[in-house]
Amino acid sequence: MTELSKPQQASAAGPEPVPRVGARRRTGLGVVLLPLAGLLVALGVWWLLTSVLEMIHPAVLPPPGAVLSAFAAAPVRFLEHAGDTAVETVVGFVLSSACGVLIGLSLAASRVLERMFTPLLVAVNAVPKIALGPLLVGALGWGQKPVLTMVFLLCFFPIVLSTAVGLTSTPADLAELARSLDASRWQAFRKVRLPAAVPQIFVGLKVAMPLATIGAVIGEFQAGETGLGYLIVQAGGVGDTATAWAAIILIGLMSILLYFALALLERFALPWVKDTTSRS
């Protein structure tokens, strides 16, 4: 029998896997270039509407140059207020995450607790949080305490919901595997239910992160002594819309950075999720 040459052997064995280095490189570039392209498009539309077409009055939305000049006039002031808002956002988010996960664990562990307290949690979540601002000021005074409370109230419900749903939606095959191995309830929870629920918990965390920023700014509107929300109120009171918009843009940028930091944490904490799921 004639031996097959190496190309013929490769052909008989099937096509060789195509390396995906280029695809990874394109994906990595897209992660950076596409958001920058979107930002440039938004800036172009903003400049067109305010500077060229003059469709929006500067008192409502100043041109990009005026906002940039307002920031350049006092960058240290803006960054100090942004730092205060970032600290309040992160601290409130961490507190609400810890409490939200614990409450979600309790609801998932007991059907009685779930039926008792789920309607109450829904009612608390439905209350407009801005209406609680004056009450928080009266009870907690001015400063960080009412701001942190506002952050907590605004973003803990998605974490509770995602935790409870994740822990009560364990794939049937994994639950059956744990039973077949005679795993105890604690072992099944630690080895099966919790790892299966963590991706769902991160979904709730990523929903709550922008809400935490919103809660911090709302709290600073009503009770803050520092922060970007406080700066917006002060600038708006004297008609300095350029400064107010500079603070608003910093809030947006800060929210983006915090969200992607959380997404990066998820990627390192759950490396198997990307390998076992597909967007196609």
Side-chain angles (χ1 to χ4, degrees):
M1 176 180 284
T2 304
E3 293 186 1
L4 296 175
S5 63
K6 290 184 178 180
Q8 289 174 328
Q9 291 175 356
S11 177
E16 296 182 358
V18 179
R20 300 190 54 86
V21 176
R24 293 194 190 98
R25 186 177 300 151
R26 289 194 298 270
T27 302
L29 290 175
V31 170
V32 177
L33 295 180
L34 291 178
L36 288 178
L39 178 61
L40 291 176
V41 170
L43 289 175
V45 173
W46 180 9
W47 173 77
L48 185 66
L49 293 177
T50 55
S51 299
V52 179
L53 301 178
E54 297 183 352
M55 296 178 62
I56 302 177
H57 195 277
V60 178
L61 179 62
V67 175
L68 182 60
S69 298
F71 177 80
V76 175
R77 176 192 180 198
F78 280 100
L79 294 178
E80 287 177 349
H81 284 290
D84 293 334
T85 301
V87 169
E88 292 163 349
T89 300
V90 172
V91 172
F93 177 78
V94 171
L95 292 175
S96 63
S97 298
C99 293
V101 170
L102 290 176
I103 295 172
L105 288 171
S106 302
L107 297 182
S110 172
R111 183 64 61 87
V112 174
L113 292 178
E114 179 188 5
R115 292 178 176 175
M116 285 178 61
F117 293 108
T118 296
L120 180 61
L121 291 173
V122 173
V124 171
N125 185 62
V127 173
K129 305 305 182 293
I130 194 170
L132 300 176
L135 300 178
L136 294 177
V137 173
L140 302 175
W142 299 88
Q144 286 192 338
K145 288 183 179 180
V147 177
L148 294 177
T149 304
M150 184 67 72
V151 174
F152 181 91
L153 291 174
L154 203 63
C155 69
F156 90 102
F157 184 76
I159 303 172
V160 173
L161 184 62
S162 63
T163 302
V165 170
L167 290 172
T168 55
S169 303
T170 305
D173 55 345
L174 294 180
E176 183 62 30
L177 177 62
R179 284 192 292 267
S180 67
L181 295 175
D182 294 329
S184 66
R185 187 174 181 180
W186 168 246
Q187 288 174 329
F189 171 80
R190 186 168 59 91
K191 297 291 188 179
V192 177
R193 293 183 64 194
L194 184 60
V198 170
Q200 184 68 34
I201 295 174
F202 264 97
V203 171
L205 293 175
K206 289 193 287 187
V207 171
M209 177 57 80
L211 295 178
T213 307
I214 295 172
V217 174
I218 292 176
E220 290 168 353
F221 280 166
Q222 299 188 336
E225 297 175 326
T226 59
L228 293 174
Y230 174 81
L231 182 59
I232 292 171
V233 172
Q234 296 297 310
V238 297
D240 187 2
T241 55
T243 297
W245 273 102
I248 291 171
I249 291 172
L250 282 178
I251 291 170
L253 293 175
M254 182 184 69
S255 182
I256 292 171
L257 291 175
L258 291 175
Y259 178 86
F260 279 102
L262 182 60
L264 187 63
L265 174 63
E266 178 189 19
R267 184 172 181 178
F268 282 105
L270 310 176
W272 70 86
V273 173
K274 186 177 180 181
D275 294 334
T276 57
T277 57
S278 175
R279 299 186 59 179
S280 58

